[in-house]
Amino acid sequence: STFTDISENSTTETTSETNTIEDNQLPLPKESAEFSFLSGAGAWRTIITLNRDGTFTGWYLDSEMGETGEGYPMGSAYVCDFSGRFENIKKVDEHSYQMTLTDIKTEKPVGEEWIEDGIRCVASEPHGLNDPDNNQECVEFIFYLPDTPVDQVPEAFLDWWPYRYTQETEPKGTLSCYGILNVTTSFGFFTTE
């Protein structure tokens, strides 16, 4: 498959009087925002740039420098460049929106290998947007606004929030950033603060 830009011509209109976002749009502060899904203990991460119209581009990287072999003395890397679209964006309440992942394309087929700069690269899935336990794409996601009370979101989702305990002895009571919940896996993508 080939990587395609599916962002098309997006238009976002806001009404200054009511400050509402038109239907099927996400209430981002700018045209797009960067979200991260990563492990504090590992060298892997998935980064997506999400647009107000639900389209996004992203990449995944997991470096395994100990996985070496002939032709790749610098180790291995599992990578994925992808693009996709969330549709059926519907406001649930004052803090959240439901959305459905309807389209995702990867630049290279999963499993394809090549060597680049002494590193073996292996094309992978877009980690975080799929369900690795059941080897399938996930479709239902929830978009959370900053100030969402943490008691209204799954605890497993909060485990992925890197700023939960920032300079506090107690967990924060509300999200301090935007978040995206993968409903199937409880994986969490968050903007930086």
Side-chain angles (χ1 to χ4, degrees):
S1 73
T2 58
F3 183 74
T4 56
D5 179 5
I6 60 168
S7 60
E8 299 173 3
N9 295 327
S10 65
T11 57
T12 303
E13 295 178 16
T14 58
T15 308
S16 57
E17 288 180 24
T18 60
N19 198 26
T20 59
I21 306 287
E22 67 183 43
D23 288 343
N24 244 356
Q25 297 283 314
L26 292 167
L28 294 170
K30 299 181 288 187
E31 286 300 314
S32 65
E34 187 175 279
F35 289 77
S36 302
F37 170 56
L38 50 93
S39 168
W44 64 265
R45 66 185 39 84
T46 303
I47 307 294
I48 63 172
T49 300
L50 178 64
N51 301 308
R52 282 184 179 166
D53 67 358
T55 59
F56 62 87
T57 57
W59 57 271
Y60 163 72
L61 172 65
D62 182 8
S63 300
E64 300 292 343
M65 295 301 105
E67 287 184 16
T68 60
E70 187 175 331
Y72 54 101
M74 304 298 291
S76 299
Y78 297 84
V79 299
C80 183
D81 289 307
F82 56 88
S83 64
R85 176 186 297 276
F86 291 110
E87 292 183 343
N88 307 317
I89 300 167
K90 295 184 176 77
K91 187 172 184 174
V92 175
D93 56 36
E94 64 183 309
H95 301 291
S96 63
Y97 290 73
Q98 290 178 323
M99 54 189 189
T100 305
L101 180 61
T102 59
D103 188 24
I104 191 159
K105 293 177 174 60
T106 59
E107 181 179 346
K108 296 183 182 293
V110 174
E112 183 176 318
E113 294 187 20
W114 66 98
I115 295 178
E116 189 174 302
D117 299 326
I119 298 172
R120 176 181 66 123
C121 299
V122 181
S124 300
E125 297 279 346
H127 189 55
L129 299 173
N130 63 335
D131 181 354
D133 294 332
N134 294 313
N135 196 27
Q136 64 185 17
E137 286 182 5
C138 297
V139 295
E140 296 302 320
F141 290 79
I142 298 176
F143 177 86
Y144 290 107
L145 298 173
D147 298 325
T148 299
V150 296
D151 62 3
Q152 293 182 13
V153 300
E155 184 67 30
F157 170 69
L158 294 174
D159 289 343
W160 297 104
W161 181 23
Y163 305 103
R164 186 173 189 190
Y165 295 96
T166 305
Q167 300 175 356
E168 294 183 27
T169 55
E170 294 293 319
K172 294 182 178 184
T174 59
L175 290 181
S176 53
C177 58
Y178 292 86
I180 300 171
L181 165 69
N182 179 327
V183 173
T184 303
T185 62
S186 294
F187 291 158
F189 290 80
F190 296 92
T191 56
T192 57
E193 300 190 333

